[in-house]
Structures are given as structure tokens and as C-alpha cells.
């Protein structure tokens, strides 16, 4: 009897999930927004070059996917020796260092930063990073982050999308902005959130915590 109840319960849950997925596919899946400011990712070697031998990043705020905003900040310097101060480092340390900025930042710094997925830095713009104990120069590593949506597998299933897929997203506010070429990223460690940069947020009158709707 108990087995029958368990089977029936599972069948009901699966039917409800399919119905919800169908509804979401028709009406568009709602996603909260996170507006991402300029930031830096560093290797441990570069952390030590900038802050001193043996230095470890310290956590200021926990982020999704095991990442965190650190207490440490640096100055980034472009090709025309124009600088932006107090750029936050995100941890933990990575295998490769990179700087993520907006188009407005790129113009100010005088760097030809391409739009790339995080981690795709081959052939990207050069930039210097200045810390309290030293300076590093990256021949490549400065990018404008491609807009994307983080999703755990359950949300991806309900939205009817898969990892790596590109979708369009609508912000139903007074600006009525549509974002195209939004990449889906799926991982168990993610929480549901779309990431855009400050230029995109300002242009569309979107703030962190607002919601948008996926359309395919």
C-alpha cells in the first residue's frame, strides 16, 4: 500500500512539474537580475605580487557558486595611463587572472576590451593592476562580460533551456528593453540570477533585484 502511495505521489508531482514547465515556456520564465560592477579575478601568484608574499584574500560577502567578494581592492590602469581605483577582487583565486569592466570603463581606460564569456581571455585587451605591494601587467585578460543567466538544473528544466543555449530576455518596465544573446549557464552550485553590467542596467533602468522574463 505504501509503495502505491509513493508511486502515485511521484506521478502527481511529475505531472505538476510538466504542467508548470509548459506554463513557463508559454509565458516566459521570470528571472531576478543582478547588476554586476567592474571586478577582478586573480591567481594566487598575482595576489601575492600585489599584496605581499603568502597573502590570502579575505571574504567580505558570499556570492553564488562558492565565490565571494573580497575586502581587497586594486587600481586598474589602461593603455593611456588612465586609472580606475577601488576595483574589488572576487575570490577564490583562479587559474588565470582577468578584469571584467563595462564599455564605459573601457572607453575611460582606453582599452579595446571585447565582449566575452568569463574565462575566455585569449586575445583580449591588455591591462595593468596596481596593489599596495606591487604591480602586474596582463598582456591579455581585460573583457566586457557577456550577459548571462545562472541557473540550477531544476530552473533550467522548468524554463525549458539547457546549458550554453542563448535566449532573449524582456524587461517589462517603462523602458521595455529586450536583451538578445543571453547565455544560459547551468550548474548545481548556482542560484537563479541574470547578470548584466552597469551600462546595461542603467540603459534599461534595471536595478539588482528587479525581474526579467525569458523568451525563446
Amino acid at each position: 500500500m505504501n509503495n502505491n502511495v509513493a508511486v502515485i505521489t511521484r506521478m502527481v508531482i511529475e505531472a505538476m512539474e510538466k504542467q508548470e514547465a509548459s506554463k513557463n515556456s508559454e509565458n516566459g520564465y521570470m528571472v531576478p537580475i543582478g547588476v554586476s560592477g567592474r571586478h577582478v579575478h586573480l591567481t594566487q601568484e598575482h595576489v601575492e605580487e600585489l599584496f605581499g608574499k603568502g597573502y590570502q584574500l579575505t571574504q567580505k560577502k558570499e556570492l553564488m557558486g562558492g565565490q565571494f567578494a573580497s575586502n581587497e581592492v586594486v587600481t586598474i590602469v589602461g593603455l593611456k595611463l588612465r586609472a580606475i581605483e577601488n576595483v574589488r577582487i572576487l575570490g577564490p583565486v583562479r587559474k588565470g587572472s582577468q578584469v571584467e569592466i563595462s564599455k564605459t570603463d573601457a572607453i575611460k581606460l582606453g582599452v579595446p576590451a571585447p565582449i566575452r564569456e568569463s574565462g575566455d581571455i585569449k586575445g583580449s585587451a591588455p591591462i595593468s593592476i596596481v596593489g599596495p605591494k606591487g604591480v602586474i601587467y596582463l598582456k591579455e585578460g581585460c573583457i566586457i562580460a557577456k550577459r548571462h543567466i545562472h541557473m540550477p538544473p531544476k530552473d533550467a528544466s522548468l524554463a525549458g533551456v539547457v546549458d550554453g543555449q542563448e535566449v532573449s530576455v524582456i524587461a517589462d518596465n517603462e523602458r521595455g528593453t529586450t536583451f538578445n544573446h543571453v547565455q544560459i549557464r547551468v550548474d548545481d552550485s548556482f542560484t537563479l540570477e541574470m547578470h548584466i553590467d552597469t551600462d546595461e542596467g542603467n540603459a534599461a533602468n534595471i536595478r539588482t533585484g528587479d525581474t526579467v522574463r525569458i523568451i525563446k
Side-chain angles (χ1 to χ4, degrees), residues 17 29 151-160 186-188:
E17 288 180 344
Y29 201 72
M151 284 186 165
K154 182 176 181 180
D155 280 295
S157 177
L158 290 173
V186 181
D187 192 88
D188 287 321

Side-chain angles (χ1 to χ4, degrees), residues 43-68:
T43 63
Q44 179 59 34
E45 178 185 358
H46 284 161
V47 168
E48 294 188 26
E49 286 186 44
L50 294 172
F51 292 91
K53 186 173 178 59
Y55 194 90
Q56 300 290 321
L57 296 176
T58 58
Q59 181 171 316
K60 177 182 177 68
K61 180 182 178 182
E62 185 177 357
L63 304 173
M64 76 169 69
Q67 295 192 88
F68 61 87

Side-chain angles (χ1 to χ4, degrees), residues 127-198:
I127 197 161
S128 296
I129 305 174
V130 182
K133 300 289 186 179
V135 179
I136 60 173
Y137 173 72
L138 302 180
K139 293 182 179 179
E140 56 186 15
C142 185
I143 65 170
I144 298 169
K146 183 177 182 180
R147 59 180 76 112
H148 57 277
I149 300 174
H150 291 283
M151 284 186 165
K154 182 176 181 180
D155 280 295
S157 177
L158 290 173
V161 297
V162 296
D163 185 55
Q165 181 178 347
E166 286 193 355
V167 298
S168 293
V169 170
I170 290 179
D172 291 318
N173 59 15
E174 61 271 26
R175 297 304 295 265
T177 306
T178 299
F179 295 99
N180 296 317
H181 307 298
V182 182
Q183 187 168 32
I184 300 294
R185 297 183 188 172
V186 181
D187 192 88
D188 287 321
S189 66
F190 292 159
T191 54
L192 181 64
E193 191 171 66
M194 177 175 172
H195 285 173
I196 58 177
D197 66 30
T198 51

Side-chain angles (χ1 to χ4, degrees), residues 39-42 47 50-51 57 68-74 87-91:
H39 59 272
V40 175
H41 298 281
L42 294 173
V47 168
L50 294 172
F51 292 91
L57 296 176
F68 61 87
S70 75
N71 291 296
E72 290 74 24
V73 295
V74 292
V87 180
R88 195 161 303 280
I89 301 170
L90 300 191

Side-chain angles (χ1 to χ4, degrees), residues 12-46:
V12 170
I13 291 173
E14 288 176 354
M16 291 174 64
E17 288 180 344
K18 288 180 180 179
Q19 185 178 23
E20 184 67 18
S22 177
K23 179 181 177 182
N24 287 325
S25 180
E26 292 174 3
N27 300 330
Y29 201 72
M30 301 303 294
V31 179
I33 283 276
V35 179
S36 180
R38 64 182 77 97
H39 59 272
V40 175
H41 298 281
L42 294 173
T43 63
Q44 179 59 34
E45 178 185 358
H46 284 161

